[in-house]
Amino acid sequence: MGRTAALAGLGISLSVQTAKKQRPDPDARIDAHVRVRAVAVGPRDRIPAVDIALVLAVDVAAGRRDAAVAALTEAVGALPDGISYTVLGGGASQCYPLRGRWALADPADRQDASFSVGRIAAADEGQPPAGYTTWLARARELFAERALPVRHLVLVTDGAGRADEDDAARPDSALSMELARCEGEFTADVIAPGAGWDPAPLIAVAKRLHGAAVSSPDAFAPAVATALGRLRKVRSPELPIEVTVRPNVREATLIETAPHQQRLEAEPLRDDPRRLEFRTHQWQPESRDYLLTLRADAGNDPLGVPLQLAAVTVGGTTEAVVVRWLPSGTAAATARISGAAGRDIHTMNVSTRMRTALNDGYAALDLGSRERAEARLGLAVRLATEIAADWVLDEVRKVARIVDGPRGIIRIGPSVDPGAVREGMLSITSGHPMELPPPPPDGPALRCPYCDRPAGPAAVFCIHCGRQL
């Protein structure tokens, strides 16, 4: 059962579901479904533009300069009054404002900006590109002078600044180290016109800085407007999820499963090593789902009594993860989980494996490894069929033919459009909601044909004898 606590502009409702009966083990795994619902509190439906600092950076080759000028003119002409902003051009040099580091949007300023962005420079042909590290460092320098509640970079790039593209996966690379410096200082979206870019660094920037990476036509102004519209709905730029565990819990992991799939990194708090903090970002009125997995040693715990293994806290609201160890070998301990909690947790686990396989398949296809791509995309299709995730089937059909969905058999044709693969990688990263199973329908109770005990209308296993219904 969830409780509600108020934040500035948000009311938080928290619920935690897990199977109450668990089999004891020296390394027992306990999965819990954590759902956080945020509702708007207060009269405003958008945060004031004066609370936002925006850096709009455009990094395109010379062949796209004219289209970029037109799109940029439209984008700055639509900025809301009061927003602080800076426009950067080729080489991460400042294009607007003409004096000072920040402009403040109003009708006269927008008119000046719409004219002035015509001087934006494209990436210089024959010169080493600035690289994504340079753009990020420049934005970080600017945001240090504008300590507003919401600080956001929109990077429009066609891959002209690709100096760091091979470094995206290495933790000691210049790009990774700069992302570490930027995290917590500002958030970022990436808009990618064309299809000549390497998706790896763009995805790395969007994921690490808690934004979105999307492909776009050269007329990118609507994509900028969408990013800004989403930004103005943000009621809380950061919201930590705290997990406090018992001493016998050796490991705790938290994976966001909807609206995006991402593993959150734990930060132990200094005053209590058993308190872990997982930071989440850009909260608007919405619902998010998480899979909390605990590894616990049940060796010294009593059997048959309720035990609180962990407490989850969000915005002053706390819910407990409570289990009861049952003697090994008993029917209830060996039966699979049924009911709403069991269905939700099963779906979340399948969804995590499915999204990982889909990402792996697209990455393999981008690298030209067709055999691995077929294997991983086939697994994604099989799992998607199991939980009715039709959007995964649509993504796979962009690059392959589905021969047998339930068995996960797909075939990749002799030619695949590299642009479709790269756009698909960004589409997957941008997130698709995971639909959890609906509540069990009302209906007459069932009776187990083996022990004649009653069971709920949606039960799959008998909780008394453990046999399948």
Side-chain angles (χ1 to χ4, degrees):
M1 181 175 181
R3 306 181 188 89
T4 301
L7 292 176
L10 282 180
I12 297 296
S13 175
L14 172 66
S15 65
V16 177
Q17 288 185 315
T18 190
K20 303 299 183 185
K21 300 173 183 179
Q22 299 278 349
R23 184 168 60 188
D25 191 84
D27 187 29
R29 170 175 170 160
I30 297 91
D31 288 330
H33 171 207
V34 178
R35 171 165 286 177
V36 184
R37 291 186 178 90
V39 297
V41 174
R44 293 188 300 227
D45 61 349
R46 297 186 299 177
I47 65 171
V50 294
D51 287 344
I52 300 174
L54 175 71
V55 171
L56 183 54
V58 179
D59 177 30
V60 295
R64 282 197 164 85
R65 183 190 176 280
D66 291 346
V69 168
L72 195 52
T73 300
E74 182 181 347
V76 299
L79 292 175
D81 286 349
I83 191 172
S84 298
Y85 72 101
T86 297
V87 180
L88 302 180
S93 60
Q94 185 168 310
C95 172
Y96 190 82
L98 304 180
R99 295 180 179 84
R101 309 265 262 180
W102 289 91
L104 195 66
D106 62 26
D109 172 80
R110 284 192 294 271
Q111 185 175 3
D112 290 344
S114 296
F115 174 76
S116 299
V117 294
R119 62 195 281 269
I120 194 167
D124 293 332
E125 294 185 7
Q127 298 293 325
Y132 303 122
T133 299
T134 303
W135 291 96
L136 293 171
R138 184 80 171 97
R140 178 167 53 84
E141 176 189 353
L142 286 164
F143 285 125
E145 300 178 1
R146 207 68 170 169
L148 294 178
V150 178
R151 299 179 296 277
H152 194 75
L153 165 68
V154 175
L155 174 59
V156 181
T157 178
D158 64 354
R162 61 183 60 171
D164 306 301
E165 63 183 14
D166 295 329
D167 294 341
R170 285 191 12 237
D172 62 340
S173 70
L175 178 57
S176 295
M177 290 190 289
E178 181 57 40
L179 284 170
R181 297 185 193 102
C182 295
E183 190 169 15
E185 300 300 321
F186 62 92
T187 53
D189 281 353
V190 177
I191 298 172
W197 30 264
D198 178 1
L202 306 187
I203 292 172
V205 170
K207 280 190 172 182
R208 191 73 180 268
L209 300 184
H210 315 291
V214 297
S215 58
S216 168
D218 286 356
F220 56 76
V224 174
T226 298
L228 187 57
R230 189 189 73 247
L231 202 64
R232 294 203 67 186
K233 295 178 183 178
V234 173
R235 296 293 186 105
S236 179
E238 183 178 284
L239 186 61
I241 299 177
E242 286 189 14
V243 178
T244 306
V245 299
R246 291 183 68 213
N248 69 325
V249 176
R250 292 194 287 248
E251 180 183 322
T253 60
L254 189 67
I255 296 174
E256 180 182 323
T257 58
H260 304 277
Q261 179 176 301
Q262 56 181 326
R263 180 176 175 136
L264 306 182
E265 296 299 324
E267 300 177 14
L269 299 180
R270 292 182 180 178
D271 58 340
D272 187 349
R274 289 190 294 273
R275 288 176 61 205
L276 304 174
E277 188 174 77
F278 301 86
R279 294 187 179 275
T280 62
H281 301 266
Q282 291 199 347
W283 278 84
Q284 55 185 283
E286 61 182 315
S287 178
R288 297 189 189 183
D289 290 290
Y290 300 88
L291 179 64
L292 173 64
T293 299
L294 306 174
R295 291 284 186 178
D297 182 359
N300 293 320
D301 285 342
L303 301 180
V305 298
L307 299 169
Q308 180 175 313
L309 289 188
V312 181
T313 302
V314 185
T317 303
T318 300
E319 285 292 323
V321 179
V322 178
V323 302
R324 184 168 57 175
W325 305 122
L326 297 184
S328 299
T330 62
T334 56
R336 288 177 57 187
I337 305 168
S338 62
R343 288 193 307 277
D344 286 0
I345 290 168
H346 173 72
T347 301
M348 295 172 82
N349 274 309
V350 171
S351 176
T352 300
R353 293 172 56 208
M354 174 191 72
R355 290 175 187 255
T356 300
L358 184 60
N359 278 314
D360 290 349
Y362 261 87
L365 197 55
D366 189 48
L367 295 173
S369 179
R370 300 171 68 85
E371 184 177 346
R372 174 169 170 76
E374 284 193 347
R376 298 302 289 167
L377 292 176
L379 175 60
V381 165
R382 180 172 67 79
L383 297 174
T385 304
E386 180 180 338
I387 61 173
D390 292 340
W391 68 267
V392 173
L393 307 182
D394 293 338
E395 291 290 349
V396 172
R397 288 190 183 103
K398 293 177 182 178
V399 295
R401 179 171 60 92
I402 298 175
V403 178
D404 189 328
R407 294 172 60 197
I409 300 174
I410 66 130
R411 291 292 180 265
I412 297 173
S415 62
V416 177
D417 180 11
V421 174
R422 293 178 174 184
E423 290 174 7
M425 293 176 76
L426 295 195
S427 174
I428 295 166
T429 304
S430 66
H432 294 266
M434 183 190 66
E435 299 294 335
L436 292 174
D442 295 330
L446 305 174
R447 300 196 76 86
C448 176
Y450 303 98
C451 66
D452 200 37
R453 296 294 186 95
V460 179
F461 287 84
C462 175
I463 64 171
H464 296 282
C465 70
R467 300 188 184 185
Q468 187 169 3
L469 299 176

